[in-house]
Amino acid sequence: MKIHFVCTNNTFRSRMAEAYFNSLKIKDWVATSSGIDAVNNIEGAIAWDTKDTLQNHNILEYTNKDWTQTTKELIEDSDLVIFMEPTHATYCEQTLHAKIPKHEIWNVIDTDINKDKTIVVLESESTFQAVKKQVDALITRI
């Protein structure tokens, strides 16, 4: 079974969710991720704070090495799609014209990496904990 996480640039929230989910090694499940605007991202392969957070939790190896642009095929080929905010689902429906399978919207807040580095690190950890809590709750439902 395939779960797919969608955010904006695929450098932060969806990558955290992908890494954490895959680190749990749930039999017959694999997570992937993408971003609706990944092709225009300016943060590189992964945001520095995401990389640091995933390394701190020893799960960096469980995420893709580069960002992925959200496509109609990625959405439709998934058994479950998790959108980090409602605008991601709207984009997939209205712009990609994707037939969205079973899905959830988690409302995980994005961060601004242009803030003071200490604040960004704290916000990144807070976002990771929010994603972790959502993934853990999801696992009890699947």
Side-chain angles (χ1 to χ4, degrees):
M1 302 288 275
K2 183 177 174 185
I3 184 170
H4 189 75
F5 296 98
V6 180
C7 70
T8 304
N9 293 314
N10 193 225
T11 60
F12 183 54
R13 298 170 289 176
S14 61
R15 295 286 282 286
M16 286 183 171
E18 174 189 19
Y20 180 65
F21 189 95
N22 285 335
S23 75
L24 299 174
K25 301 178 182 176
I26 300 168
K27 186 179 181 194
D28 299 325
W29 279 88
V30 64
T32 57
S33 66
S34 66
I36 64 168
D37 198 30
V39 72
N40 293 315
N41 101 54
I42 58 172
E43 297 178 27
I46 190 169
W48 67 265
D49 57 318
T50 307
K51 184 176 180 181
D52 287 356
T53 300
L54 296 179
Q55 284 176 326
N56 289 341
H57 289 276
N58 298 312
I59 61 172
L60 180 61
E61 68 185 276
Y62 296 101
T63 190
N64 198 345
K65 302 297 181 215
D66 204 355
W67 55 261
T68 301
Q69 175 66 36
T70 304
T71 64
K72 179 179 180 178
E73 294 76 23
L74 283 172
I75 299 301
E76 292 179 348
D77 289 344
S78 299
D79 297 295
L80 174 63
V81 178
I82 305 296
F83 298 103
M84 294 297 156
E85 57 188 72
T87 56
H88 302 137
T90 301
Y91 172 88
C92 290
E93 287 177 331
Q94 294 180 0
T95 304
L96 299 179
H97 306 288
K99 294 178 184 171
I100 299 176
K102 182 176 177 185
H103 68 280
E104 296 181 10
I105 299 172
W106 284 1
N107 292 309
V108 176
I109 298 170
D110 207 353
T111 62
D112 178 2
I113 63 167
N114 296 315
K115 295 180 182 177
D116 177 80
K117 186 174 181 174
T118 303
I119 293 171
V120 172
V121 169
L122 292 172
E123 287 181 352
S124 184
E125 179 60 29
S126 177
T127 298
F128 175 75
Q129 292 304 323
V131 166
K132 183 177 182 282
K133 183 177 179 180
Q134 290 276 31
V135 168
D136 290 342
L138 173 66
I139 290 168
T140 64
R141 296 190 303 272
I142 58 175

